[in-house]
Amino acid sequence: MESTAQLIAGRYDTPAPTRRITVYFDGSTPGDTLVLEYAATDAEAWEFTSAAVQAGLTVTVDGKIRPELRRLPCRSLWA
């Protein structure tokens, strides 16, 4: 049986993403918070998170990737 990372890798370029990045965008009220999730490799997650935190965003990274997660946009910037 294929792992989640292998399933995701089949839909995208290798290497397979192994990290879920969750980005939180604060709204004007607590109910307006926007949360986006992406699949990324270790290197992409590290580089993106470093840049996002410097820009004042709240970001979490974990290994809970799922097949339906989109890959990190412009991931070549973060590898």
Side-chain angles (χ1 to χ4, degrees):
M1 183 173 176
E2 291 181 297
S3 70
T4 302
Q6 290 168 322
L7 290 171
I8 292 172
R11 294 193 289 174
Y12 304 99
D13 297 335
T14 55
T18 57
R19 297 288 176 252
R20 176 182 67 166
I21 298 173
T22 306
V23 186
Y24 302 87
F25 297 91
D26 293 331
S28 56
T29 65
D32 290 339
T33 301
L34 176 63
V35 179
L36 300 176
E37 295 180 313
Y38 299 104
T41 64
D42 285 331
E44 293 165 353
W46 172 255
E47 293 295 330
F48 176 81
T49 300
S50 296
V53 168
Q54 287 181 358
L57 296 175
T58 301
V59 179
T60 60
V61 178
D62 60 34
K64 298 178 183 179
I65 59 172
R66 302 181 309 274
E68 68 273 11
L69 285 179
R70 294 175 292 172
R71 284 296 300 262
L72 185 66
C74 302
R75 64 185 182 271
S76 64
L77 295 173
W78 315 113

